[in-house]
Amino acid sequence: MWKEKVQEYEDQIIADLSGLLSIESVRDDSKATSDAPVGPGPRAALDYMYQIAERDGFTVHDVDHIAGRIEAGKGEDLFGVLCHVDVVPAGEGWDTPPFQPTVTDDAIIARGTLDDKGPTIAAYYAVKILNEMNVDWKKRVHIIIGTDEESDWKCVDRYFKTEEMPVLGFAPDAEFPAIHGEKGITTFDIKFNADAASDDDAEVTLLSLESGQRYNMVPDEAVAKLSVKTSNSDVTERYQQYLEAHELTGTSELEGDTLVLRLKGKAVHGMDPSIGLNAGLYLIHFLNGLELDANASQFVDLSERYLFESHFGEKMGMKFHTDKMGDLTTNIGIISYEKGKGGEYGINLRYPEGFEFDEAIEGFKHEVNELGFELELGKVQRPHYVDKEDPFVQSLVQAYRNQTGDMTEPYTIGGGTYARNLDKGVAFGAMFSDSEDLMHQRNEYITKKQLFNATSIYLEALYALCVEE
């Protein structure tokens, strides 16, 4: 029944999704204003969702242009569908323009198709179809839309300061059959201030290094600029040998008197950095073998001591695992250094329930302080967990099973979704076990089958939870 209903809307779903994907909704603080708190792109994507909702007869409510909601249903209890329309930067190496959606016979290719614009449109259409069926709603439904999920969650922080908290809800921003637990997540910066009395007689002076744009992405590119006292060719030759030995891709070239080294990595979502290739850390690993100036040597040594080839917090003394939630992970998403000023490492840490977070951070902070670094802790989101036997979780899973025949059990992840805002919230789709996970990677796409099947599952789940009761 539900799949047949979705078939009637397939062309509309693709058209509305394509419009949303065409908006480059990447956070841009340099263009932020009171009317666009995280930049014009996320604001435009939020407005786009309001426009299609008003076209379809829904009431919308805006909260300071950083978040808002689309309202449906009726009743005392409130059910939330928590989505986001911001995306991470596209990065390099796409086969098609990342913000000009390419629609093929079986897929849509663009940044955000999986995370989270495709699932947002699927969930929206589930509510729209039920509404156009004139169902007898037993609950109110708020599709809550954020614009800063990929960075600091300013959107939901602001939204829930003044707006009603749903009793139940899901975030269509992960995998089926359901995600009933999420690791704790935090970011922190390890900062280094350069000593003005640095050794200027060093063979190699590190002028600058840049890698990464987001804490929750493995950096796929790194650039270092060096001043070499005697032989650029010797450093270049050693670099080529390093690249070959580690099966890496990179280049070296002279720009005037400056030697520029570039290294390519593999970007993946920061929740499992072990499957990516961190360009910044590998470039620093090479630099560590050179006779660097004192400041740079101190900076790169920290990476060697604590960060390089340590995806699970081993070198930080934070290795931790539980059967329920898996391993603690550390992603070094942002690295920067400038001669005479210093540098920093931006780290995304994800940890299971049971990890003594406060104690571990304090201990690590003391260690880096002893080495001349400062640790600045960002926002801390504690682990989130809902028992998988809870009737709410079981209702979602049953809708999935009815539509797919797949009896897979719900599980926990290292990613973080808006579901953790709710006492009883879970992540629910829209990826299936056979979906290729290109979240935060180039050539991100969603298949039409996945998009339409997710819509059908959301339809059945919302009907069971908000109409049938």
Side-chain angles (χ1 to χ4, degrees):
M1 168 188 174
W2 300 117
K3 286 182 179 177
E4 287 74 16
K5 287 300 295 183
V6 172
Q7 285 174 359
E8 300 171 20
Y9 290 83
E10 287 181 355
D11 291 343
Q12 295 177 51
I13 292 171
I14 291 173
D16 282 345
L17 175 56
S18 295
L20 184 58
L21 292 167
S22 299
I23 301 168
E24 189 170 351
S25 50
V26 176
R27 175 172 168 169
D28 186 350
D29 291 344
S30 70
K31 297 179 180 177
T33 65
S34 58
D35 286 337
V38 287
R43 166 70 195 273
L46 181 63
D47 286 346
Y48 178 90
M49 291 303 300
Y50 294 157
Q51 289 160 13
I52 65 171
E54 289 174 334
R55 174 201 69 194
D56 294 334
F58 291 109
T59 298
V60 302
H61 179 79
D62 180 72
V63 179
D64 290 349
H65 310 305
I66 197 167
R69 66 175 176 266
I70 299 165
E71 300 177 354
K74 58 184 174 62
E76 183 177 343
D77 289 341
L78 177 63
F79 190 95
V81 182
L82 283 71
C83 308
H84 71 90
V85 290
D86 60 307
V87 295
V88 296
E92 301 297 323
W94 283 68
D95 297 333
T96 57
F99 295 104
Q100 295 176 27
T102 300
V103 181
T104 67
D105 288 342
D106 59 0
I108 304 106
I109 307 160
R111 171 58 86 224
T113 44
L114 286 176
D115 185 15
D116 183 41
K117 293 178 177 180
T120 293
I121 291 294
Y124 172 77
Y125 264 83
V127 175
K128 170 182 162 72
I129 291 169
L130 287 173
N131 213 48
E132 293 183 358
M133 290 172 63
N134 293 313
V135 298
D136 184 15
W137 294 99
K138 300 297 193 302
K139 288 186 177 75
R140 291 173 295 131
V141 177
H142 285 176
I143 302 175
I144 299 166
I145 302 162
T147 62
D148 188 37
E149 195 270 353
E150 298 293 0
S151 296
D152 295 329
W153 288 32
K154 290 181 179 179
C155 45
V156 284
D157 287 349
R158 169 60 190 89
Y159 183 90
F160 286 117
K161 278 183 182 176
T162 56
E163 307 306 310
E164 183 180 359
M165 179 70 72
V167 176
L168 301 171
F170 67 78
D173 191 19
E175 297 94 28
F176 290 117
I179 306 301
H180 67 102
E182 301 177 6
K183 292 177 186 175
I185 302 176
T186 190
T187 58
F188 59 89
D189 297 312
I190 303 175
K191 296 192 172 185
F192 172 69
N193 291 316
D195 182 351
S198 175
D199 181 9
D200 292 327
D201 294 326
E203 174 66 23
V204 180
T205 299
L206 178 61
L207 303 177
S208 67
L209 187 144
E210 293 293 334
S211 184
Q213 301 179 70
R214 288 288 190 275
Y215 291 94
N216 62 351
M217 288 179 72
V218 172
D220 63 355
E221 188 173 20
V223 181
K225 296 184 177 181
L226 311 175
S227 174
V228 182
K229 197 167 187 181
T230 55
S231 174
N232 282 308
S233 60
D234 177 59
V235 175
T236 298
E237 185 177 332
R238 290 172 64 180
Y239 187 53
Q240 288 307 123
Q241 292 171 351
Y242 174 79
L243 294 175
E244 291 170 13
H246 290 82
E247 299 180 340
L248 298 169
T249 300
T251 61
S252 57
E253 59 183 340
L254 275 173
E255 293 181 359
D257 294 330
T258 301
L259 179 61
V260 181
L261 305 182
R262 301 179 190 274
L263 194 147
K264 291 287 187 182
K266 180 186 177 185
V268 298
H269 196 294
M271 67 180 172
D272 188 0
S274 67
I275 62 175
L277 196 157
N278 193 311
L281 294 184
Y282 269 95
L283 186 52
I284 287 173
H285 184 55
F286 168 74
L287 296 176
N288 189 60
L290 303 179
E291 187 184 324
L292 292 173
D293 64 279
N295 279 320
S297 181
Q298 188 175 351
F299 181 74
V300 303
D301 179 67
L302 184 116
S303 175
E304 294 298 299
R305 187 185 297 247
Y306 292 114
L307 310 178
F308 181 64
E309 291 189 331
S310 178
H311 305 299
F312 305 104
E314 308 97 312
K315 291 183 178 180
M316 294 183 189
M318 297 186 191
K319 187 174 175 63
F320 188 80
H321 173 91
T322 69
D323 290 340
K324 277 185 178 180
M325 303 191 85
D327 294 301
L328 177 148
T329 61
T330 51
N331 179 54
I332 292 71
I334 302 172
I335 307 170
S336 65
Y337 179 88
E338 185 176 351
K339 180 181 182 294
K341 293 184 178 179
E344 65 183 277
Y345 297 95
I347 299 173
N348 181 241
L349 183 147
R350 297 165 188 251
Y351 62 96
E353 273 194 311
F355 177 66
E356 297 293 342
F357 173 80
D358 297 318
E359 180 182 322
I361 285 291
E362 279 305 308
F364 185 56
K365 185 176 184 178
H366 176 74
E367 284 192 43
V368 299
N369 285 350
E370 292 288 306
L371 297 171
F373 291 77
E374 297 293 324
L375 189 153
E376 292 186 6
L377 185 62
K379 181 176 180 177
V380 179
Q381 298 174 332
R382 303 293 177 178
H384 174 71
Y385 191 83
V386 180
D387 193 309
K388 72 176 184 178
E389 302 303 329
D390 187 281
F392 165 56
V393 178
Q394 288 300 307
S395 292
L396 296 176
V397 172
Q398 192 58 51
Y400 168 80
R401 290 174 175 171
N402 290 346
Q403 292 291 314
T404 65
D406 177 20
M407 301 302 289
T408 302
E409 289 290 314
Y411 55 98
T412 66
I413 59 168
T417 75
Y418 282 157
R420 66 174 63 228
N421 286 281
L422 310 181
D423 288 340
K424 195 171 283 191
V426 301
F428 187 46
M431 288 206 304
F432 296 83
S433 59
D434 61 352
S435 302
E436 184 178 11
D437 183 0
L438 291 178
M439 286 188 184
H440 296 201
Q441 300 181 52
R442 65 178 181 272
N443 300 325
E444 181 182 354
Y445 72 92
I446 191 169
T447 67
K448 292 178 181 177
K449 178 184 176 184
Q450 177 185 345
L451 179 64
F452 301 145
N453 284 352
T455 307
S456 300
I457 293 166
Y458 294 147
L459 256 173
E460 178 164 347
L462 287 167
Y463 185 83
L465 288 161
C466 300
V467 180
E468 276 189 332
E469 281 204 319

PDB file of all heavy atoms in Angstrom, residues 19 25 28 42 45 58 90 99 102 105 107 121 146-147 150 161 198 220 265 268 297 339 381 386 431 433 435 462:
ATOM      1  N   GLY A  19      15.820  20.817  -6.161  1.00  0.00           N
ATOM      2  CA  GLY A  19      15.862  22.232  -5.801  1.00  0.00           C
ATOM      3  C   GLY A  19      16.628  22.481  -4.518  1.00  0.00           C
ATOM      4  O   GLY A  19      17.424  23.430  -4.423  1.00  0.00           O
ATOM      5  N   SER A  25      24.461  25.033   0.809  1.00  0.00           N
ATOM      6  CA  SER A  25      24.126  25.396   2.194  1.00  0.00           C
ATOM      7  C   SER A  25      25.235  25.019   3.166  1.00  0.00           C
ATOM      8  O   SER A  25      25.025  24.334   4.167  1.00  0.00           O
ATOM      9  CB  SER A  25      22.809  24.744   2.599  1.00  0.00           C
ATOM     10  OG  SER A  25      22.815  23.365   2.309  1.00  0.00           O
ATOM     11  N   ASP A  28      29.043  29.524   6.569  1.00  0.00           N
ATOM     12  CA  ASP A  28      30.054  30.513   6.183  1.00  0.00           C
ATOM     13  C   ASP A  28      29.991  31.672   7.162  1.00  0.00           C
ATOM     14  O   ASP A  28      29.209  32.610   6.996  1.00  0.00           O
ATOM     15  CB  ASP A  28      29.811  30.989   4.752  1.00  0.00           C
ATOM     16  CG  ASP A  28      30.916  31.912   4.242  1.00  0.00           C
ATOM     17  OD1 ASP A  28      31.768  32.325   5.057  1.00  0.00           O
ATOM     18  OD2 ASP A  28      30.919  32.225   3.036  1.00  0.00           O
ATOM     19  N   PRO A  42      22.848  28.191   4.252  1.00  0.00           N
ATOM     20  CA  PRO A  42      21.916  27.500   5.139  1.00  0.00           C
ATOM     21  C   PRO A  42      20.578  28.228   5.274  1.00  0.00           C
ATOM     22  O   PRO A  42      19.523  27.584   5.326  1.00  0.00           O
ATOM     23  CB  PRO A  42      22.673  27.458   6.472  1.00  0.00           C
ATOM     24  CG  PRO A  42      24.113  27.444   6.061  1.00  0.00           C
ATOM     25  CD  PRO A  42      24.181  28.367   4.878  1.00  0.00           C
ATOM     26  N   ALA A  45      18.451  27.445   2.250  1.00  0.00           N
ATOM     27  CA  ALA A  45      17.907  26.087   2.287  1.00  0.00           C
ATOM     28  C   ALA A  45      16.732  25.997   3.255  1.00  0.00           C
ATOM     29  O   ALA A  45      15.736  25.300   2.984  1.00  0.00           O
ATOM     30  CB  ALA A  45      19.000  25.098   2.669  1.00  0.00           C
ATOM     31  N   PHE A  58       0.898  23.724   4.473  1.00  0.00           N
ATOM     32  CA  PHE A  58       1.306  23.581   5.866  1.00  0.00           C
ATOM     33  C   PHE A  58       1.594  24.941   6.494  1.00  0.00           C
ATOM     34  O   PHE A  58       1.954  25.901   5.805  1.00  0.00           O
ATOM     35  CB  PHE A  58       2.583  22.731   5.978  1.00  0.00           C
ATOM     36  CG  PHE A  58       2.390  21.288   5.633  1.00  0.00           C
ATOM     37  CD1 PHE A  58       2.922  20.769   4.461  1.00  0.00           C
ATOM     38  CD2 PHE A  58       1.689  20.437   6.474  1.00  0.00           C
ATOM     39  CE1 PHE A  58       2.762  19.429   4.140  1.00  0.00           C
ATOM     40  CE2 PHE A  58       1.525  19.088   6.161  1.00  0.00           C
ATOM     41  CZ  PHE A  58       2.066  18.588   4.985  1.00  0.00           C
ATOM     42  N   ALA A  90      32.002  20.657  -0.209  1.00  0.00           N
ATOM     43  CA  ALA A  90      32.031  19.601  -1.217  1.00  0.00           C
ATOM     44  C   ALA A  90      33.384  18.920  -1.297  1.00  0.00           C
ATOM     45  O   ALA A  90      33.477  17.713  -1.523  1.00  0.00           O
ATOM     46  CB  ALA A  90      31.655  20.180  -2.577  1.00  0.00           C
ATOM     47  N   PHE A  99      26.906  20.890  -6.508  1.00  0.00           N
ATOM     48  CA  PHE A  99      25.680  21.629  -6.203  1.00  0.00           C
ATOM     49  C   PHE A  99      24.818  21.865  -7.455  1.00  0.00           C
ATOM     50  O   PHE A  99      23.965  22.746  -7.470  1.00  0.00           O
ATOM     51  CB  PHE A  99      26.014  22.943  -5.493  1.00  0.00           C
ATOM     52  CG  PHE A  99      26.638  22.711  -4.138  1.00  0.00           C
ATOM     53  CD1 PHE A  99      27.994  22.883  -3.946  1.00  0.00           C
ATOM     54  CD2 PHE A  99      25.865  22.277  -3.074  1.00  0.00           C
ATOM     55  CE1 PHE A  99      28.590  22.638  -2.715  1.00  0.00           C
ATOM     56  CE2 PHE A  99      26.441  22.031  -1.829  1.00  0.00           C
ATOM     57  CZ  PHE A  99      27.805  22.213  -1.650  1.00  0.00           C
ATOM     58  N   THR A 102      22.853  15.862 -10.397  1.00  0.00           N
ATOM     59  CA  THR A 102      22.809  15.035 -11.593  1.00  0.00           C
ATOM     60  C   THR A 102      21.834  13.898 -11.341  1.00  0.00           C
ATOM     61  O   THR A 102      22.038  13.083 -10.431  1.00  0.00           O
ATOM     62  CB  THR A 102      24.207  14.467 -11.917  1.00  0.00           C
ATOM     63  OG1 THR A 102      25.106  15.557 -12.136  1.00  0.00           O
ATOM     64  CG2 THR A 102      24.156  13.584 -13.153  1.00  0.00           C
ATOM     65  N   ASP A 105      19.285   7.492 -14.368  1.00  0.00           N
ATOM     66  CA  ASP A 105      18.132   6.582 -14.387  1.00  0.00           C
ATOM     67  C   ASP A 105      17.833   6.022 -13.003  1.00  0.00           C
ATOM     68  O   ASP A 105      16.671   5.750 -12.679  1.00  0.00           O
ATOM     69  CB  ASP A 105      18.390   5.414 -15.355  1.00  0.00           C
ATOM     70  CG  ASP A 105      18.328   5.853 -16.813  1.00  0.00           C
ATOM     71  OD1 ASP A 105      17.771   6.939 -17.071  1.00  0.00           O
ATOM     72  OD2 ASP A 105      18.842   5.116 -17.669  1.00  0.00           O
ATOM     73  N   ALA A 107      19.706   7.168  -9.846  1.00  0.00           N
ATOM     74  CA  ALA A 107      20.294   7.860  -8.696  1.00  0.00           C
ATOM     75  C   ALA A 107      20.268   9.368  -8.872  1.00  0.00           C
ATOM     76  O   ALA A 107      20.067   9.883  -9.979  1.00  0.00           O
ATOM     77  CB  ALA A 107      21.736   7.386  -8.477  1.00  0.00           C
ATOM     78  N   ILE A 121      13.760  15.293   2.604  1.00  0.00           N
ATOM     79  CA  ILE A 121      12.663  15.319   1.633  1.00  0.00           C
ATOM     80  C   ILE A 121      11.815  14.054   1.749  1.00  0.00           C
ATOM     81  O   ILE A 121      10.584  14.100   1.631  1.00  0.00           O
ATOM     82  CB  ILE A 121      13.210  15.507   0.203  1.00  0.00           C
ATOM     83  CG1 ILE A 121      13.789  16.923   0.039  1.00  0.00           C
ATOM     84  CG2 ILE A 121      12.127  15.247  -0.839  1.00  0.00           C
ATOM     85  CD1 ILE A 121      12.774  18.050   0.126  1.00  0.00           C
ATOM     86  N   GLY A 146      17.027  22.175  11.051  1.00  0.00           N
ATOM     87  CA  GLY A 146      18.187  22.917  11.526  1.00  0.00           C
ATOM     88  C   GLY A 146      19.119  23.292  10.389  1.00  0.00           C
ATOM     89  O   GLY A 146      19.047  22.727   9.291  1.00  0.00           O
ATOM     90  N   THR A 147      20.015  24.228  10.678  1.00  0.00           N
ATOM     91  CA  THR A 147      20.940  24.725   9.650  1.00  0.00           C
ATOM     92  C   THR A 147      22.408  24.685  10.089  1.00  0.00           C
ATOM     93  O   THR A 147      23.268  25.214   9.395  1.00  0.00           O
ATOM     94  CB  THR A 147      20.591  26.181   9.274  1.00  0.00           C
ATOM     95  OG1 THR A 147      20.734  27.008  10.447  1.00  0.00           O
ATOM     96  CG2 THR A 147      19.184  26.298   8.722  1.00  0.00           C
ATOM     97  N   GLU A 150      26.149  20.275  11.027  1.00  0.00           N
ATOM     98  CA  GLU A 150      27.494  19.826  10.691  1.00  0.00           C
ATOM     99  C   GLU A 150      28.588  20.567  11.454  1.00  0.00           C
ATOM    100  O   GLU A 150      29.762  20.239  11.313  1.00  0.00           O
ATOM    101  CB  GLU A 150      27.739  19.970   9.184  1.00  0.00           C
ATOM    102  CG  GLU A 150      26.812  19.140   8.305  1.00  0.00           C
ATOM    103  CD  GLU A 150      27.028  17.642   8.432  1.00  0.00           C
ATOM    104  OE1 GLU A 150      27.906  17.225   9.219  1.00  0.00           O
ATOM    105  OE2 GLU A 150      26.322  16.883   7.766  1.00  0.00           O
ATOM    106  N   LYS A 161      15.453  26.414  23.110  1.00  0.00           N
ATOM    107  CA  LYS A 161      15.376  27.394  24.190  1.00  0.00           C
ATOM    108  C   LYS A 161      13.944  27.901  24.368  1.00  0.00           C
ATOM    109  O   LYS A 161      13.536  28.240  25.482  1.00  0.00           O
ATOM    110  CB  LYS A 161      16.299  28.581  23.890  1.00  0.00           C
ATOM    111  CG  LYS A 161      17.753  28.346  24.264  1.00  0.00           C
ATOM    112  CD  LYS A 161      18.574  29.597  23.990  1.00  0.00           C
ATOM    113  CE  LYS A 161      20.047  29.369  24.321  1.00  0.00           C
ATOM    114  NZ  LYS A 161      20.878  30.555  23.955  1.00  0.00           N
ATOM    115  N   SER A 198      62.735  31.466  18.251  1.00  0.00           N
ATOM    116  CA  SER A 198      62.900  30.216  17.506  1.00  0.00           C
ATOM    117  C   SER A 198      64.265  30.163  16.837  1.00  0.00           C
ATOM    118  O   SER A 198      64.865  31.183  16.501  1.00  0.00           O
ATOM    119  CB  SER A 198      61.811  30.116  16.437  1.00  0.00           C
ATOM    120  OG  SER A 198      62.011  28.989  15.630  1.00  0.00           O
ATOM    121  N   ASP A 220      41.178  15.636   3.358  1.00  0.00           N
ATOM    122  CA  ASP A 220      41.663  14.941   2.163  1.00  0.00           C
ATOM    123  C   ASP A 220      42.740  15.729   1.419  1.00  0.00           C
ATOM    124  O   ASP A 220      43.183  15.320   0.348  1.00  0.00           O
ATOM    125  CB  ASP A 220      40.513  14.610   1.213  1.00  0.00           C
ATOM    126  CG  ASP A 220      39.805  15.848   0.670  1.00  0.00           C
ATOM    127  OD1 ASP A 220      40.135  16.969   1.101  1.00  0.00           O
ATOM    128  OD2 ASP A 220      38.915  15.679  -0.185  1.00  0.00           O
ATOM    129  N   GLY A 265      44.663  12.982   0.610  1.00  0.00           N
ATOM    130  CA  GLY A 265      44.192  11.916   1.482  1.00  0.00           C
ATOM    131  C   GLY A 265      42.856  11.395   1.012  1.00  0.00           C
ATOM    132  O   GLY A 265      42.482  11.544  -0.156  1.00  0.00           O
ATOM    133  N   VAL A 268      36.518  10.973   4.811  1.00  0.00           N
ATOM    134  CA  VAL A 268      35.371  10.188   5.256  1.00  0.00           C
ATOM    135  C   VAL A 268      34.777  10.893   6.470  1.00  0.00           C
ATOM    136  O   VAL A 268      35.347  11.836   6.998  1.00  0.00           O
ATOM    137  CB  VAL A 268      35.755   8.734   5.635  1.00  0.00           C
ATOM    138  CG1 VAL A 268      36.319   7.979   4.443  1.00  0.00           C
ATOM    139  CG2 VAL A 268      36.732   8.699   6.804  1.00  0.00           C
ATOM    140  N   SER A 297      59.260  22.081  15.008  1.00  0.00           N
ATOM    141  CA  SER A 297      59.609  20.774  15.552  1.00  0.00           C
ATOM    142  C   SER A 297      58.742  20.442  16.763  1.00  0.00           C
ATOM    143  O   SER A 297      58.252  19.314  16.913  1.00  0.00           O
ATOM    144  CB  SER A 297      61.086  20.761  15.937  1.00  0.00           C
ATOM    145  OG  SER A 297      61.456  19.502  16.444  1.00  0.00           O
ATOM    146  N   LYS A 339      54.255  30.332  10.769  1.00  0.00           N
ATOM    147  CA  LYS A 339      55.524  30.740  11.380  1.00  0.00           C
ATOM    148  C   LYS A 339      55.354  32.042  12.157  1.00  0.00           C
ATOM    149  O   LYS A 339      54.732  32.988  11.706  1.00  0.00           O
ATOM    150  CB  LYS A 339      56.583  30.935  10.293  1.00  0.00           C
ATOM    151  CG  LYS A 339      57.953  31.359  10.818  1.00  0.00           C
ATOM    152  CD  LYS A 339      58.942  31.550   9.681  1.00  0.00           C
ATOM    153  CE  LYS A 339      60.326  31.931  10.206  1.00  0.00           C
ATOM    154  NZ  LYS A 339      60.364  33.240  10.848  1.00  0.00           N
ATOM    155  N   GLN A 381      28.649  16.754  24.035  1.00  0.00           N
ATOM    156  CA  GLN A 381      27.361  16.072  23.950  1.00  0.00           C
ATOM    157  C   GLN A 381      27.532  14.679  24.551  1.00  0.00           C
ATOM    158  O   GLN A 381      28.304  13.870  24.040  1.00  0.00           O
ATOM    159  CB  GLN A 381      26.902  15.963  22.490  1.00  0.00           C
ATOM    160  CG  GLN A 381      26.694  17.315  21.824  1.00  0.00           C
ATOM    161  CD  GLN A 381      26.374  17.178  20.349  1.00  0.00           C
ATOM    162  OE1 GLN A 381      26.774  16.225  19.693  1.00  0.00           O
ATOM    163  NE2 GLN A 381      25.633  18.126  19.824  1.00  0.00           N
ATOM    164  N   VAL A 386      18.556   4.786  24.042  1.00  0.00           N
ATOM    165  CA  VAL A 386      17.171   4.372  24.271  1.00  0.00           C
ATOM    166  C   VAL A 386      17.144   2.856  24.151  1.00  0.00           C
ATOM    167  O   VAL A 386      17.683   2.295  23.191  1.00  0.00           O
ATOM    168  CB  VAL A 386      16.207   4.990  23.234  1.00  0.00           C
ATOM    169  CG1 VAL A 386      14.771   4.544  23.505  1.00  0.00           C
ATOM    170  CG2 VAL A 386      16.297   6.516  23.231  1.00  0.00           C
ATOM    171  N   MET A 431      19.695   5.332   5.263  1.00  0.00           N
ATOM    172  CA  MET A 431      20.551   4.388   4.563  1.00  0.00           C
ATOM    173  C   MET A 431      20.153   2.955   4.897  1.00  0.00           C
ATOM    174  O   MET A 431      19.733   2.659   6.015  1.00  0.00           O
ATOM    175  CB  MET A 431      22.019   4.615   4.909  1.00  0.00           C
ATOM    176  CG  MET A 431      22.604   5.865   4.289  1.00  0.00           C
ATOM    177  SD  MET A 431      24.386   5.754   4.063  1.00  0.00           S
ATOM    178  CE  MET A 431      24.921   5.405   5.724  1.00  0.00           C
ATOM    179  N   SER A 433      21.319  -1.359   4.391  1.00  0.00           N
ATOM    180  CA  SER A 433      22.553  -2.134   4.512  1.00  0.00           C
ATOM    181  C   SER A 433      23.331  -2.187   3.205  1.00  0.00           C
ATOM    182  O   SER A 433      24.558  -2.325   3.211  1.00  0.00           O
ATOM    183  CB  SER A 433      22.241  -3.562   4.977  1.00  0.00           C
ATOM    184  OG  SER A 433      21.368  -4.206   4.059  1.00  0.00           O
ATOM    185  N   SER A 435      23.363   0.341   0.985  1.00  0.00           N
ATOM    186  CA  SER A 435      23.661   1.699   0.525  1.00  0.00           C
ATOM    187  C   SER A 435      25.161   1.947   0.577  1.00  0.00           C
ATOM    188  O   SER A 435      25.825   1.541   1.534  1.00  0.00           O
ATOM    189  CB  SER A 435      22.968   2.749   1.407  1.00  0.00           C
ATOM    190  OG  SER A 435      21.568   2.570   1.426  1.00  0.00           O
ATOM    191  N   LEU A 462       5.059   6.660  10.610  1.00  0.00           N
ATOM    192  CA  LEU A 462       4.284   7.810  11.078  1.00  0.00           C
ATOM    193  C   LEU A 462       2.799   7.469  11.212  1.00  0.00           C
ATOM    194  O   LEU A 462       2.119   7.937  12.128  1.00  0.00           O
ATOM    195  CB  LEU A 462       4.483   9.002  10.136  1.00  0.00           C
ATOM    196  CG  LEU A 462       5.853   9.672  10.239  1.00  0.00           C
ATOM    197  CD1 LEU A 462       6.082  10.612   9.062  1.00  0.00           C
ATOM    198  CD2 LEU A 462       5.981  10.442  11.551  1.00  0.00           C
TER     199      LEU A 462
END
